[in-house]
Amino acid sequence: MILVTGGAGFIGANFVLDWLAVTNEPVLNIDKLTYAGNLQNLASLHGDARHIFVQADIADGKTMAQLLAQHQPRAIINFAAESHVDRSIHGPEDFIQTNVVGTFRLLEAARAYWSDLEGAAKSSFRFLHVSTDEVFGTLAPHDPAFTETHSYAPNSPYSASKAASDHLVRAWHHTYGLPVLTTNCSNNYGPLHFPEKLIPLMIVNALAGKPLPIYGDGMQVRDWLYVRDHCSAIRHVLDAGKLGETYNVGGWNEKTNLDIVTAVCALLDELRPRADRKSYAEQMTFVTDRPGHDRRYAMDARKLERELGWKPAETFETGIRKTVQWYLDNPQWVASVQSGSYRDWVQKHYSLEGSA
Ligand code: NAD
Ligand code: DAU
């Protein structure tokens, strides 16, 4: 059995579904079910004995210790986090609590559990921490992509909290010998992505006839990876990653935000044309920039490709088409997750009327 934290969120749920489709190994899924956690994401596993769900907080060390002792997993994959940069600007406290304190408590529970293991169970145990390219800070236009040895320079409360968690994981290996692995991935997209993030927000706002808010000049660059390719990268690292090492994950798909929104609008024009036959691109609206907005991220994933034989299965073109189609096919999922007073802050801060 493996233990997955945050398995009701976007990447965690895709990972659990993917894992059970390609292996037969049971998953203990621990998730606090914050606004971002959604058990509907896992509805297809209802009644599947290979999936055990427990609602709990990774910062609750006692419960983590009890669950480890009870279920005896061979690995922990830590997805649980507060993940949205705008929310971290609006209110950083939850980010410190879950991403820093939560990771610390989970590491301590894992260390106690692992210390008591013996033989093969001890030597094969793994703690895989899922992190982000944002810990490296921002790149200038012609800088090479981030490698694993790039220095950390996080710029937002979110990325600072993730950087802190990465450092804790590193230190628990160096000091206590805990068998850890860390992945740092670029921007994911795909099904089950909460519609506060760029791609799903643009799809749902476009279909609702609302403005498509583009922060600043829209020329910020992100490196996009289809979520199931991130899941396969994590499986590769869990299977064969070298203890204590970090692996960059990315799709070599650098795009400006304007490129992304234009691509989404073109697909919607093709798949669900507006009643007036005008392009959804007419809904694009430039708004105030995000404070401290990083200009460019790009990941050099050659270590993972070379050493562990990982390759993404999707190009941006195939992945974004699947994604837009998924949102068109699942309007009830969108309706059920759209809420939250935090949107009032977004509307006020980014000086936009009528936002989702
Ligand atoms: P998400 O916000 O969609 O999901 C996070 C999940 O964690 C939710 O189910 C939530 O309920 C759960 N959670 C939050 N706090 C918790 C706590 N204290 N205890 C237990 N569960 C808790 O996030 P995501 O986009 O799926 O990201 C998952 C992980 O991958 C995060 O660690 C994030 O930093 C990292 N990451 C995300 C991306 C991306 O593009 N989304 C890219 C690289 C890395
Ligand atoms: O790079 C990996 C990171 O990608 C992950 O670690 C984070 O968890 C994940 O949320 C994501 O962070 P970003 O800040 O890059 O994602 P977001 O979708 O919020 O924004 C993508 C870009 O689009 C960014 O430059 C801000 C811009 N943007 C975003 C929104 C929501 C807009 O222009 N308008 C918007 O309405």
Side-chain angles (χ1 to χ4, degrees):
M1 163 175 290
I2 60 164
L3 189 169
V4 164
T5 70
F10 164 49
I11 305 175
N14 273 288
F15 181 85
V16 170
L17 294 167
D18 190 56
W19 177 269
L20 291 174
V22 296
T23 80
N24 222 3
E25 187 173 4
V27 177
L28 170 64
N29 183 352
I30 296 178
D31 195 299
K32 186 179 172 182
L33 296 181
T34 67
Y35 79 95
N38 181 359
L39 284 177
Q40 281 181 59
N41 294 346
L42 300 160
S44 62
L45 298 178
H46 189 67
D48 188 329
R50 298 173 306 164
H51 179 237
I52 300 169
F53 180 80
V54 177
Q55 183 173 6
D57 185 338
I58 58 164
D60 176 353
K62 203 169 150 210
T63 301
M64 293 307 111
Q66 279 166 357
L67 289 167
L68 285 166
Q70 183 185 348
H71 294 278
Q72 300 277 310
R74 71 169 177 96
I76 297 174
I77 305 177
N78 184 31
F79 291 97
E82 287 293 337
S83 69
H84 191 41
V85 174
D86 289 332
R87 282 182 191 261
S88 82
I89 299 167
H90 174 49
E93 183 132 8
D94 288 348
F95 289 72
I96 304 304
Q97 181 56 29
T98 285
N99 301 359
V100 186
V101 178
T103 302
F104 158 67
R105 296 261 164 72
L106 188 64
L107 280 166
E108 278 294 78
R111 180 165 76 93
Y113 167 71
W114 167 76
S115 297
D116 287 345
L117 293 175
E118 287 175 355
K122 185 164 193 169
S123 58
S124 62
F125 181 76
R126 297 288 181 269
F127 184 106
L128 192 155
H129 180 61
V130 179
S131 192
T132 171
D133 58 2
E134 299 201 12
V135 297
F136 297 123
T138 191
L139 289 168
H142 299 295
D143 284 346
F146 297 124
T147 63
E148 286 79 1
T149 55
H150 201 281
S151 54
Y152 272 37
N155 287 319
S156 71
Y158 163 69
S159 55
S161 69
K162 290 297 289 187
S165 68
D166 293 8
H167 290 321
L168 292 174
V169 170
R170 183 179 186 282
W172 260 240
H173 175 68
H174 189 81
T175 304
Y176 305 112
L178 188 71
V180 307
L181 298 157
T182 297
T183 53
N184 292 88
C185 189
S186 62
N187 283 63
N188 287 213
Y189 68 99
L192 310 176
H193 206 181
F194 195 87
E196 63 184 353
K197 310 278 169 63
L198 180 70
I199 290 179
L201 183 72
M202 295 302 137
I203 299 170
V204 306
N205 274 14
L207 294 171
K210 292 180 175 176
L212 309 180
I214 294 165
Y215 299 167
D217 63 3
M219 295 305 286
Q220 303 82 5
V221 171
R222 298 289 182 268
D223 178 356
W224 294 91
L225 183 69
Y226 191 67
V227 62
R228 290 290 176 115
D229 284 326
H230 185 188
C231 297
S232 78
I234 291 169
R235 277 192 278 109
H236 275 74
V237 175
L238 184 66
D239 280 354
K242 289 198 197 117
L243 292 188
E245 298 216 358
T246 67
Y247 292 86
N248 282 0
V249 189
W252 301 102
N253 280 314
E254 284 188 59
K255 309 261 178 217
T256 67
N257 293 337
L258 271 178
D259 289 339
I260 294 291
V261 182
T262 303
V264 166
C265 289
L267 278 166
L268 287 172
D269 289 341
E270 175 196 329
L271 300 169
R272 182 70 57 82
R274 269 173 42 159
D276 62 6
R277 298 282 149 174
K278 290 183 178 163
S279 173
Y280 287 98
E282 298 217 344
Q283 290 164 233
M284 285 193 213
T285 310
F286 289 90
V287 301
T288 316
D289 205 357
R290 173 185 277 177
H293 202 170
D294 283 337
R295 198 68 184 163
R296 175 177 167 239
Y297 306 137
M299 282 304 243
D300 182 334
R302 279 178 293 185
K303 177 180 173 186
L304 177 59
E305 293 165 357
R306 189 178 58 243
E307 293 185 11
L308 304 187
W310 173 79
K311 265 197 177 23
E314 303 291 343
T315 63
F316 182 74
E317 287 65 33
T318 59
I320 193 69
R321 182 173 284 275
K322 281 186 181 177
T323 304
V324 170
Q325 190 63 56
W326 187 87
Y327 281 86
L328 289 172
D329 293 343
N330 289 280
Q332 72 296 347
W333 182 92
V334 172
S336 71
V337 300
Q338 270 181 318
S339 69
S341 57
Y342 136 88
R343 296 303 306 171
D344 299 339
W345 176 82
V346 170
Q347 197 156 320
K348 192 167 152 222
H349 179 81
Y350 294 105
S351 23
L352 174 72
E353 287 179 11
S355 161

